[in-house]
Amino acid sequence: LRQMTDVEVCALGGHGFLLCFIVTCGMQLSFFAVAYGCSFDKVTDFAGGMNFTVLAILTLVNGGSMTTRQWVTTLLVCVSRTQLALLLLHRVLKRGHDARFDEMRAHFFAFLGFWIFQIMWVYVVSAPLIYLNCERAYNPALGITDYIGWILTALGFGLQVFADLQKM
């Protein structure tokens, strides 16, 4: 396979948005099929969290040269969302089920509705990173807002992990 040019990456759907939407729909609907078919909800939160990581990596590697801004931001997203996905998977496996889905698990459209909401949630929240990672032409110098954003993200992640540990 040859390396795609920046123009070809953008041709995938305006900065990769179409490709990311297709990947998100495919991933979430595949997990829905497993969850509904097996009548369990053990993979629901794992699917949501890991979808962020998949989109972050996909958009980072799907283009030309990568900037420091793209690398650091992608790393922060991947570490934080993967940790949360694995924590939530561990928690639901330990509990045996997720009580939030007790009423809807047996109802196809109600359960599917949750997964459709999750598609929209992952896609909309990932939109800034999709844009950042697919935009290769515009690369201003790193500024104070980059460093502040990274620090706040790392601090928020640390607080989330600390809170999860206290909760457990």
Side-chain angles (χ1 to χ4, degrees), residues 10-37:
C10 293
L12 290 173
H15 301 286
F17 283 101
L18 178 59
L19 174 64
C20 290
F21 186 72
I22 292 168
V23 168
T24 299
C25 288
M27 187 171 173
Q28 294 304 313
L29 293 176
S30 296
F31 274 98
F32 163 73
V34 170
Y36 184 76

PDB file of all heavy atoms in Angstrom, residues 10-37:
ATOM      1  N   CYS A  10      -8.075  13.953   3.035  1.00  0.00           N
ATOM      2  CA  CYS A  10      -9.251  14.819   3.122  1.00  0.00           C
ATOM      3  C   CYS A  10     -10.365  14.327   2.209  1.00  0.00           C
ATOM      4  O   CYS A  10     -11.531  14.508   2.505  1.00  0.00           O
ATOM      5  CB  CYS A  10      -8.865  16.255   2.780  1.00  0.00           C
ATOM      6  SG  CYS A  10      -7.777  16.988   4.013  1.00  0.00           S
ATOM      7  N   ALA A  11     -10.007  13.666   1.111  1.00  0.00           N
ATOM      8  CA  ALA A  11     -11.021  13.130   0.209  1.00  0.00           C
ATOM      9  C   ALA A  11     -11.808  11.992   0.852  1.00  0.00           C
ATOM     10  O   ALA A  11     -12.873  11.634   0.394  1.00  0.00           O
ATOM     11  CB  ALA A  11     -10.362  12.640  -1.082  1.00  0.00           C
ATOM     12  N   LEU A  12     -11.288  11.434   1.947  1.00  0.00           N
ATOM     13  CA  LEU A  12     -12.014  10.379   2.636  1.00  0.00           C
ATOM     14  C   LEU A  12     -13.274  10.907   3.299  1.00  0.00           C
ATOM     15  O   LEU A  12     -14.037  10.150   3.850  1.00  0.00           O
ATOM     16  CB  LEU A  12     -11.116   9.708   3.687  1.00  0.00           C
ATOM     17  CG  LEU A  12      -9.978   8.868   3.135  1.00  0.00           C
ATOM     18  CD1 LEU A  12      -9.073   8.402   4.271  1.00  0.00           C
ATOM     19  CD2 LEU A  12     -10.511   7.681   2.367  1.00  0.00           C
ATOM     20  N   GLY A  13     -13.484  12.156   3.260  1.00  0.00           N
ATOM     21  CA  GLY A  13     -14.715  12.712   3.810  1.00  0.00           C
ATOM     22  C   GLY A  13     -14.454  13.951   4.611  1.00  0.00           C
ATOM     23  O   GLY A  13     -14.729  13.979   5.794  1.00  0.00           O
ATOM     24  N   GLY A  14     -13.922  14.986   4.009  1.00  0.00           N
ATOM     25  CA  GLY A  14     -13.697  16.234   4.717  1.00  0.00           C
ATOM     26  C   GLY A  14     -12.906  16.025   5.984  1.00  0.00           C
ATOM     27  O   GLY A  14     -13.472  15.940   7.054  1.00  0.00           O
ATOM     28  N   HIS A  15     -11.616  15.891   5.857  1.00  0.00           N
ATOM     29  CA  HIS A  15     -10.716  15.693   6.998  1.00  0.00           C
ATOM     30  C   HIS A  15     -10.919  14.348   7.682  1.00  0.00           C
ATOM     31  O   HIS A  15     -10.691  14.210   8.864  1.00  0.00           O
ATOM     32  CB  HIS A  15     -10.844  16.825   8.021  1.00  0.00           C
ATOM     33  CG  HIS A  15     -10.539  18.157   7.447  1.00  0.00           C
ATOM     34  ND1 HIS A  15      -9.268  18.555   7.161  1.00  0.00           N
ATOM     35  CD2 HIS A  15     -11.332  19.170   7.065  1.00  0.00           C
ATOM     36  CE1 HIS A  15      -9.293  19.777   6.645  1.00  0.00           C
ATOM     37  NE2 HIS A  15     -10.535  20.159   6.571  1.00  0.00           N
ATOM     38  N   GLY A  16     -11.359  13.363   6.959  1.00  0.00           N
ATOM     39  CA  GLY A  16     -11.507  12.030   7.524  1.00  0.00           C
ATOM     40  C   GLY A  16     -12.802  11.816   8.292  1.00  0.00           C
ATOM     41  O   GLY A  16     -13.000  10.755   8.872  1.00  0.00           O
ATOM     42  N   PHE A  17     -13.686  12.785   8.300  1.00  0.00           N
ATOM     43  CA  PHE A  17     -14.918  12.656   9.074  1.00  0.00           C
ATOM     44  C   PHE A  17     -15.801  11.508   8.588  1.00  0.00           C
ATOM     45  O   PHE A  17     -16.385  10.789   9.398  1.00  0.00           O
ATOM     46  CB  PHE A  17     -15.709  13.969   9.072  1.00  0.00           C
ATOM     47  CG  PHE A  17     -15.124  14.989  10.000  1.00  0.00           C
ATOM     48  CD1 PHE A  17     -14.347  16.023   9.505  1.00  0.00           C
ATOM     49  CD2 PHE A  17     -15.334  14.912  11.360  1.00  0.00           C
ATOM     50  CE1 PHE A  17     -13.798  16.960  10.353  1.00  0.00           C
ATOM     51  CE2 PHE A  17     -14.796  15.844  12.218  1.00  0.00           C
ATOM     52  CZ  PHE A  17     -14.014  16.872  11.712  1.00  0.00           C
ATOM     53  N   LEU A  18     -15.904  11.337   7.274  1.00  0.00           N
ATOM     54  CA  LEU A  18     -16.750  10.260   6.750  1.00  0.00           C
ATOM     55  C   LEU A  18     -16.174   8.902   7.142  1.00  0.00           C
ATOM     56  O   LEU A  18     -16.903   8.029   7.611  1.00  0.00           O
ATOM     57  CB  LEU A  18     -16.894  10.371   5.231  1.00  0.00           C
ATOM     58  CG  LEU A  18     -17.721   9.272   4.566  1.00  0.00           C
ATOM     59  CD1 LEU A  18     -19.149   9.249   5.128  1.00  0.00           C
ATOM     60  CD2 LEU A  18     -17.754   9.477   3.055  1.00  0.00           C
ATOM     61  N   LEU A  19     -14.874   8.734   6.964  1.00  0.00           N
ATOM     62  CA  LEU A  19     -14.232   7.482   7.347  1.00  0.00           C
ATOM     63  C   LEU A  19     -14.442   7.195   8.836  1.00  0.00           C
ATOM     64  O   LEU A  19     -14.791   6.076   9.219  1.00  0.00           O
ATOM     65  CB  LEU A  19     -12.732   7.526   7.041  1.00  0.00           C
ATOM     66  CG  LEU A  19     -11.914   6.334   7.526  1.00  0.00           C
ATOM     67  CD1 LEU A  19     -12.355   5.056   6.819  1.00  0.00           C
ATOM     68  CD2 LEU A  19     -10.431   6.584   7.317  1.00  0.00           C
ATOM     69  N   CYS A  20     -14.271   8.193   9.670  1.00  0.00           N
ATOM     70  CA  CYS A  20     -14.438   8.007  11.123  1.00  0.00           C
ATOM     71  C   CYS A  20     -15.883   7.682  11.484  1.00  0.00           C
ATOM     72  O   CYS A  20     -16.132   6.879  12.390  1.00  0.00           O
ATOM     73  CB  CYS A  20     -13.937   9.229  11.881  1.00  0.00           C
ATOM     74  SG  CYS A  20     -12.139   9.391  11.811  1.00  0.00           S
ATOM     75  N   PHE A  21     -16.836   8.280  10.783  1.00  0.00           N
ATOM     76  CA  PHE A  21     -18.238   7.960  11.037  1.00  0.00           C
ATOM     77  C   PHE A  21     -18.537   6.513  10.656  1.00  0.00           C
ATOM     78  O   PHE A  21     -19.212   5.794  11.397  1.00  0.00           O
ATOM     79  CB  PHE A  21     -19.164   8.924  10.294  1.00  0.00           C
ATOM     80  CG  PHE A  21     -20.614   8.720  10.632  1.00  0.00           C
ATOM     81  CD1 PHE A  21     -21.107   9.096  11.876  1.00  0.00           C
ATOM     82  CD2 PHE A  21     -21.482   8.144   9.719  1.00  0.00           C
ATOM     83  CE1 PHE A  21     -22.442   8.896  12.212  1.00  0.00           C
ATOM     84  CE2 PHE A  21     -22.819   7.945  10.037  1.00  0.00           C
ATOM     85  CZ  PHE A  21     -23.291   8.320  11.285  1.00  0.00           C
ATOM     86  N   ILE A  22     -18.013   6.073   9.523  1.00  0.00           N
ATOM     87  CA  ILE A  22     -18.225   4.690   9.087  1.00  0.00           C
ATOM     88  C   ILE A  22     -17.584   3.718  10.065  1.00  0.00           C
ATOM     89  O   ILE A  22     -18.195   2.705  10.451  1.00  0.00           O
ATOM     90  CB  ILE A  22     -17.692   4.490   7.650  1.00  0.00           C
ATOM     91  CG1 ILE A  22     -18.552   5.265   6.660  1.00  0.00           C
ATOM     92  CG2 ILE A  22     -17.626   3.009   7.284  1.00  0.00           C
ATOM     93  CD1 ILE A  22     -17.968   5.387   5.266  1.00  0.00           C
ATOM     94  N   VAL A  23     -16.367   4.005  10.505  1.00  0.00           N
ATOM     95  CA  VAL A  23     -15.677   3.145  11.474  1.00  0.00           C
ATOM     96  C   VAL A  23     -16.459   3.099  12.785  1.00  0.00           C
ATOM     97  O   VAL A  23     -16.647   2.025  13.372  1.00  0.00           O
ATOM     98  CB  VAL A  23     -14.225   3.626  11.702  1.00  0.00           C
ATOM     99  CG1 VAL A  23     -13.599   2.946  12.903  1.00  0.00           C
ATOM    100  CG2 VAL A  23     -13.389   3.377  10.450  1.00  0.00           C
ATOM    101  N   THR A  24     -16.923   4.243  13.250  1.00  0.00           N
ATOM    102  CA  THR A  24     -17.686   4.296  14.496  1.00  0.00           C
ATOM    103  C   THR A  24     -18.981   3.495  14.383  1.00  0.00           C
ATOM    104  O   THR A  24     -19.307   2.707  15.274  1.00  0.00           O
ATOM    105  CB  THR A  24     -17.975   5.756  14.889  1.00  0.00           C
ATOM    106  OG1 THR A  24     -16.726   6.426  15.094  1.00  0.00           O
ATOM    107  CG2 THR A  24     -18.799   5.846  16.164  1.00  0.00           C
ATOM    108  N   CYS A  25     -19.709   3.684  13.296  1.00  0.00           N
ATOM    109  CA  CYS A  25     -20.953   2.911  13.109  1.00  0.00           C
ATOM    110  C   CYS A  25     -20.652   1.423  13.051  1.00  0.00           C
ATOM    111  O   CYS A  25     -21.333   0.619  13.710  1.00  0.00           O
ATOM    112  CB  CYS A  25     -21.668   3.348  11.831  1.00  0.00           C
ATOM    113  SG  CYS A  25     -22.427   4.974  11.937  1.00  0.00           S
ATOM    114  N   GLY A  26     -19.649   1.042  12.295  1.00  0.00           N
ATOM    115  CA  GLY A  26     -19.300  -0.367  12.183  1.00  0.00           C
ATOM    116  C   GLY A  26     -18.894  -0.971  13.507  1.00  0.00           C
ATOM    117  O   GLY A  26     -19.336  -2.077  13.871  1.00  0.00           O
ATOM    118  N   MET A  27     -18.080  -0.248  14.244  1.00  0.00           N
ATOM    119  CA  MET A  27     -17.611  -0.756  15.534  1.00  0.00           C
ATOM    120  C   MET A  27     -18.762  -0.886  16.533  1.00  0.00           C
ATOM    121  O   MET A  27     -18.945  -1.935  17.158  1.00  0.00           O
ATOM    122  CB  MET A  27     -16.523   0.168  16.075  1.00  0.00           C
ATOM    123  CG  MET A  27     -15.840  -0.329  17.311  1.00  0.00           C
ATOM    124  SD  MET A  27     -14.414   0.724  17.660  1.00  0.00           S
ATOM    125  CE  MET A  27     -13.951   0.042  19.237  1.00  0.00           C
ATOM    126  N   GLN A  28     -19.559   0.166  16.665  1.00  0.00           N
ATOM    127  CA  GLN A  28     -20.636   0.151  17.652  1.00  0.00           C
ATOM    128  C   GLN A  28     -21.725  -0.854  17.289  1.00  0.00           C
ATOM    129  O   GLN A  28     -22.237  -1.564  18.164  1.00  0.00           O
ATOM    130  CB  GLN A  28     -21.225   1.549  17.822  1.00  0.00           C
ATOM    131  CG  GLN A  28     -20.261   2.553  18.429  1.00  0.00           C
ATOM    132  CD  GLN A  28     -19.709   2.111  19.759  1.00  0.00           C
ATOM    133  OE1 GLN A  28     -20.435   1.663  20.640  1.00  0.00           O
ATOM    134  NE2 GLN A  28     -18.406   2.225  19.930  1.00  0.00           N
ATOM    135  N   LEU A  29     -22.081  -0.926  16.018  1.00  0.00           N
ATOM    136  CA  LEU A  29     -23.131  -1.873  15.623  1.00  0.00           C
ATOM    137  C   LEU A  29     -22.647  -3.316  15.725  1.00  0.00           C
ATOM    138  O   LEU A  29     -23.450  -4.211  16.025  1.00  0.00           O
ATOM    139  CB  LEU A  29     -23.650  -1.543  14.223  1.00  0.00           C
ATOM    140  CG  LEU A  29     -24.400  -0.208  14.132  1.00  0.00           C
ATOM    141  CD1 LEU A  29     -24.788   0.097  12.688  1.00  0.00           C
ATOM    142  CD2 LEU A  29     -25.610  -0.172  15.057  1.00  0.00           C
ATOM    143  N   SER A  30     -21.357  -3.551  15.529  1.00  0.00           N
ATOM    144  CA  SER A  30     -20.807  -4.903  15.733  1.00  0.00           C
ATOM    145  C   SER A  30     -20.885  -5.299  17.197  1.00  0.00           C
ATOM    146  O   SER A  30     -21.293  -6.424  17.534  1.00  0.00           O
ATOM    147  CB  SER A  30     -19.350  -4.965  15.257  1.00  0.00           C
ATOM    148  OG  SER A  30     -19.260  -4.752  13.879  1.00  0.00           O
ATOM    149  N   PHE A  31     -20.502  -4.383  18.073  1.00  0.00           N
ATOM    150  CA  PHE A  31     -20.597  -4.664  19.512  1.00  0.00           C
ATOM    151  C   PHE A  31     -22.059  -4.822  19.928  1.00  0.00           C
ATOM    152  O   PHE A  31     -22.379  -5.659  20.763  1.00  0.00           O
ATOM    153  CB  PHE A  31     -19.919  -3.569  20.334  1.00  0.00           C
ATOM    154  CG  PHE A  31     -18.446  -3.771  20.517  1.00  0.00           C
ATOM    155  CD1 PHE A  31     -17.530  -3.127  19.709  1.00  0.00           C
ATOM    156  CD2 PHE A  31     -17.963  -4.604  21.516  1.00  0.00           C
ATOM    157  CE1 PHE A  31     -16.172  -3.307  19.876  1.00  0.00           C
ATOM    158  CE2 PHE A  31     -16.601  -4.794  21.705  1.00  0.00           C
ATOM    159  CZ  PHE A  31     -15.699  -4.139  20.877  1.00  0.00           C
ATOM    160  N   PHE A  32     -22.959  -4.018  19.344  1.00  0.00           N
ATOM    161  CA  PHE A  32     -24.380  -4.168  19.636  1.00  0.00           C
ATOM    162  C   PHE A  32     -24.862  -5.564  19.252  1.00  0.00           C
ATOM    163  O   PHE A  32     -25.585  -6.213  20.012  1.00  0.00           O
ATOM    164  CB  PHE A  32     -25.220  -3.115  18.900  1.00  0.00           C
ATOM    165  CG  PHE A  32     -26.674  -3.465  18.836  1.00  0.00           C
ATOM    166  CD1 PHE A  32     -27.478  -3.383  19.965  1.00  0.00           C
ATOM    167  CD2 PHE A  32     -27.245  -3.916  17.653  1.00  0.00           C
ATOM    168  CE1 PHE A  32     -28.824  -3.739  19.920  1.00  0.00           C
ATOM    169  CE2 PHE A  32     -28.582  -4.268  17.587  1.00  0.00           C
ATOM    170  CZ  PHE A  32     -29.372  -4.179  18.722  1.00  0.00           C
ATOM    171  N   ALA A  33     -24.459  -6.039  18.068  1.00  0.00           N
ATOM    172  CA  ALA A  33     -24.888  -7.364  17.611  1.00  0.00           C
ATOM    173  C   ALA A  33     -24.441  -8.444  18.587  1.00  0.00           C
ATOM    174  O   ALA A  33     -25.214  -9.354  18.917  1.00  0.00           O
ATOM    175  CB  ALA A  33     -24.335  -7.637  16.213  1.00  0.00           C
ATOM    176  N   VAL A  34     -23.223  -8.331  19.083  1.00  0.00           N
ATOM    177  CA  VAL A  34     -22.721  -9.303  20.060  1.00  0.00           C
ATOM    178  C   VAL A  34     -23.508  -9.186  21.372  1.00  0.00           C
ATOM    179  O   VAL A  34     -23.967 -10.182  21.922  1.00  0.00           O
ATOM    180  CB  VAL A  34     -21.214  -9.104  20.314  1.00  0.00           C
ATOM    181  CG1 VAL A  34     -20.729  -9.923  21.502  1.00  0.00           C
ATOM    182  CG2 VAL A  34     -20.418  -9.450  19.060  1.00  0.00           C
ATOM    183  N   ALA A  35     -23.668  -7.963  21.849  1.00  0.00           N
ATOM    184  CA  ALA A  35     -24.352  -7.747  23.133  1.00  0.00           C
ATOM    185  C   ALA A  35     -25.809  -8.202  23.059  1.00  0.00           C
ATOM    186  O   ALA A  35     -26.304  -8.873  23.969  1.00  0.00           O
ATOM    187  CB  ALA A  35     -24.274  -6.277  23.534  1.00  0.00           C
ATOM    188  N   TYR A  36     -26.505  -7.839  21.993  1.00  0.00           N
ATOM    189  CA  TYR A  36     -27.912  -8.240  21.871  1.00  0.00           C
ATOM    190  C   TYR A  36     -28.027  -9.739  21.641  1.00  0.00           C
ATOM    191  O   TYR A  36     -28.864 -10.406  22.265  1.00  0.00           O
ATOM    192  CB  TYR A  36     -28.608  -7.464  20.748  1.00  0.00           C
ATOM    193  CG  TYR A  36     -30.071  -7.782  20.671  1.00  0.00           C
ATOM    194  CD1 TYR A  36     -30.959  -7.248  21.604  1.00  0.00           C
ATOM    195  CD2 TYR A  36     -30.576  -8.639  19.697  1.00  0.00           C
ATOM    196  CE1 TYR A  36     -32.302  -7.559  21.560  1.00  0.00           C
ATOM    197  CE2 TYR A  36     -31.919  -8.948  19.641  1.00  0.00           C
ATOM    198  CZ  TYR A  36     -32.787  -8.408  20.576  1.00  0.00           C
ATOM    199  OH  TYR A  36     -34.123  -8.714  20.536  1.00  0.00           O
ATOM    200  N   GLY A  37     -27.201 -10.263  20.761  1.00  0.00           N
ATOM    201  CA  GLY A  37     -27.255 -11.688  20.452  1.00  0.00           C
ATOM    202  C   GLY A  37     -26.957 -12.571  21.653  1.00  0.00           C
ATOM    203  O   GLY A  37     -27.543 -13.634  21.809  1.00  0.00           O
TER     204      GLY A  37
END
